[in-house]
Amino acid sequence: MSTRLLSASAPFILTVLVFLALAIALFIGLGQPPLQTLAALVQFAVGDSYSLSQTLAKTGPILLCALAAAVPGRLGLISVGAEGQLHAGAIAGTAIVLLAPTWPAPVLLPLMLLCAAAGGALYGYVPGLLRARLDVNETIVTLLMNYVSVLLVAALVFGPWRDPASQGWPATMQFPPAAVLPALPGSRIHLGLLLGVIAALALHVYFNHSRWADKVRILAGNRKVGETFGLSFGFWVIVLMSVGGALAGLAGISEVSAIQGRLQQSISLGYGLTGFLVSWLSRHQPLIILPVSLCVGGLVAGSDALQMFAKVPAASAVILQGLLFAAALAVPGLLARWRNAS
C-alpha cells in the first residue's frame, strides 16, 4: 500500500522539486538570495492573516475561471474564454446596479449575481451554439471573444457608464453598499470564494454521481457511439459551455463588487488564462482544482508582495506561474517516457 501511495505521489513531489529548482535559478538570475526570497514568498502568501486574506482573494476568481474551463472540458471541449466570460459577467452585473442603485440588498445582490451569471452564460452559449450547429472550433471563437468583452468594458467606462464625479478616471460610480458582496470583517475574503467552493463540490457530485454524467462521459469518449444511443452532442456542448460561462461571469462581478467597488479597466489579472491552466493541470477534476487554485492564488499574492517589499520585478509573478505550469506539464510526460523506456 505504501509503495502504491509513493508511486502515485511521485509526480507531484517531483513537480514541486523541479519548480523550486527553476524558481531558485530565476532568483539567482535576478540577483536575489534564492532561499531567503523563497521563504519571503511563502511568508507573503500565508505568513499572517493579511497575507492569507490576499491569497484567498486571488484564489476566488482563479477557482471560478478554472471551473469555467473544466465544465466543457469534461466533454472534451477546449474553452479558453473564461477571461471574456468574466468581463461579460462584470458588465451584466454592473448594468443592474447602475439601473437600480437604490434597491435593497436582499433584492439587488441576488439579482446582480443572477445577471452576471446570465451574462457569462450568454458569452459561453455563443461559441457553444456555433460548435453545435456549424462545427466551428470553440477554442478559436472563445479566444477571439475574449478581446471583444475586454474592449467593451473599456468602451463603457470611458463612455456612457463613466462617473462624472470620478475626476477623469475611467470607471463607473462606486457601488452602493447594497451591491457589495458580504466579506469577513477586516479581510478581503468575500462571498465569491464561497460560491466557487460550493460550485466545485456540486460539480464533483454531478460529474461523479449523477445519471446525466454518464451521458457526458459516453459522448466525450466516442461521439458517434453516444449519438447511436440517442444522445445529442450539440445539446451538451451548448449546456456545458453556458454553465462554464456562468461560473466565469460570477468571478467577474465578484471582483468588481467585492474587490474594486466599481467597474473599471483591468478588473482581471489574467484570471481567465490562469484558470484554464489550473483546470488542465487538474485534469478538469473539481476537487483537485480546489487545492491547485489555492496554491496558484498564494503564488500570485506572494509574488505581488515580493514586488513591493523585496524589489523583485513585477514580471516575476508571471514568470513564476509559467515555471510552475511548465514543471507540472513536463514532469508527468518525462516520467511516462522514462517508464516506457525502462
Side-chain angles (χ1 to χ4, degrees), residues 126-149:
V126 172
L129 182 66
L130 291 174
R131 173 61 192 275
R133 298 290 183 262
L134 302 176
D135 206 26
V136 179
N137 186 283
E138 75 281 355
T139 308
I140 296 175
V141 176
T142 52
L143 179 63
L144 295 176
M145 288 181 67
N146 286 339
Y147 296 99
V148 176
S149 59

Side-chain angles (χ1 to χ4, degrees), residues 228-302:
T228 300
F229 284 97
L231 303 180
S232 173
F233 180 77
F235 169 79
W236 284 104
V237 167
I238 293 173
V239 168
L240 295 180
M241 288 290 291
S242 299
V243 171
L247 292 169
L250 289 175
I253 197 59
S254 296
E255 281 297 294
V256 171
S257 170
I259 301 299
Q260 300 187 6
R262 62 179 70 196
L263 181 65
Q264 56 189 8
Q265 281 188 300
S266 304
I267 60 175
S268 170
L269 302 175
Y271 293 132
L273 179 58
T274 301
F276 172 79
L277 294 172
V278 167
S279 176
W280 277 83
L281 290 178
S282 306
R283 299 181 180 179
H284 308 313
Q285 299 293 329
L287 288 189
I288 301 177
I289 286 174
L290 277 170
V292 175
S293 297
L294 179 61
C295 291
V296 175
L299 180 61
V300 173

